[in-house]
Structure formats: structure tokens, C-alpha cells
């Protein structure tokens, strides 16, 4: 038998008086928040973590696709072709707005057309 602290007892009392506060069959309470709040949460997460929210459920996948994108990209001279294709693919596939696009590169000025190409993406012009 476990020890019931005052905080645990208060929580149990609140749950019994308000059934909406009680966990229901493994359902998480964060998903009960309005979509605008959930999108705000996704937006402030680092890119990898925000993308990982898609694994939570199909609804989170829809929310992630509609949240503003924070994209931090790095183009290296040794993997230039692969990097540019990946960045372009992400920009073309993303349906939402791009909130922030940060591009770092280790290219010389002869490759500036690549930077110009990425910054000229129609996806970056959405408001």
C-alpha cells in the first residue's frame, strides 16, 4: 500500500469532483488543449524535436505540418549536392509557413548561386 501525500489526496479529490480532470484510458491531457496552443508548442521546439511530435498521433502530424517552420540548414562543400537537395525537398514538401530560415555554408563565392537558389524558393515567400 502506497503513501498518499496531501498533494496526491488533493488531486484525487479534484478528479472525483471534476471528471474531466481524471485521466481517461491512457489519454493525455495535453492533446485536449486548443490547436493554437499546440502549434505554439511545436513552433518553439528545436526542429528535430518538433518533427518528432508527428510520432505522437495522426493529429500531431497535421499540427506539425501546419505549424510555422524553423529551419536551420548547413551546406558543406563536401556534401553540397546532397545538402541542397535535402533543403529544397523540405521546403517544397512543407505546406505551412516558414517562420525562420537560417542558412550556414562553407562554400566559396563561386557557389553563391546555390544560396541565391535556396533563398529564392517560393516557399520562403509565404506569409
Amino acid at each position: 500500500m502506497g503513501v498518499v501525500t496531501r498533494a496526491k489526496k488533493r488531486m484525487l479529490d479534484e478528479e472525483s469532483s471534476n471528471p474531466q480532470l481524471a485521466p481517461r484510458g491512457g489519454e493525455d491531457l495535453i492533446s485536449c488543449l486548443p490547436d493554437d496552443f499546440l502549434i505554439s508548442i511545436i513552433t518553439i521546439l528545436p526542429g528535430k524535436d518538433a518533427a518528432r511530435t508527428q510520432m505522437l498521433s495522426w493529429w500531431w502530424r497535421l499540427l506539425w505540418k501546419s505549424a510555422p517552420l524553423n529551419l536551420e540548414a548547413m551546406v558543406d562543400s563536401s556534401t553540397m549536392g546532397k545538402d541542397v537537395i535535402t533543403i529544397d525537398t523540405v521546403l517544397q514538401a512543407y505546406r505551412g509557413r516558414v517562420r525562420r530560415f537560417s542558412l550556414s555554408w562553407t562554400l566559396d563565392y563561386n557557389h553563391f548561386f546555390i544560396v541565391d537558389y535556396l533563398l529564392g524558393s517560393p516557399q520562403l515567400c509565404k506569409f
Side-chain angles (χ1 to χ4, degrees):
M1 180 163 182
V3 178
V4 178
T5 62
R6 276 188 254 166
K8 178 76 171 175
K9 183 176 180 336
R10 190 173 340 140
M11 184 182 72
L12 292 172
D13 290 342
E14 288 174 3
E15 287 175 358
S16 63
S17 64
N18 188 352
Q20 288 183 335
L21 294 176
R24 293 166 263 163
E27 181 183 356
D28 64 324
L29 296 178
I30 195 167
S31 293
C32 296
L33 293 172
D35 290 350
D36 292 339
F37 287 161
L38 298 176
I39 288 173
S40 296
I41 291 169
I42 292 170
T43 301
I44 62 173
L45 290 173
K48 285 184 178 181
D49 294 334
R52 288 179 184 147
T53 62
Q54 296 181 80
M55 295 185 297
L56 296 174
S57 72
W58 64 271
W59 186 250
W60 281 87
R61 189 172 305 121
L62 295 175
L63 291 172
W64 181 79
K65 288 180 179 179
S66 63
L69 179 66
N70 291 319
L71 181 62
E72 294 181 25
M74 174 68 177
V75 178
D76 189 12
S77 58
S78 63
T79 58
M80 178 178 56
K82 180 182 171 190
D83 294 342
V84 171
I85 289 171
T86 302
I87 295 166
D88 192 43
T89 302
V90 168
L91 288 173
Q92 297 299 326
Y94 198 75
R95 293 185 301 181
R97 301 182 292 127
V98 177
R99 180 179 190 198
R100 187 172 60 88
F101 179 62
S102 173
L103 180 63
S104 304
W105 71 92
T106 58
L107 305 173
D108 57 18
Y109 290 108
N110 295 334
H111 295 101
F112 191 71
F113 69 93
I114 293 171
V115 176
D116 188 46
Y117 169 76
L118 290 172
L119 293 177
S121 172
Q123 190 66 15
L124 294 177
C125 296
K126 289 183 178 180
F127 291 100

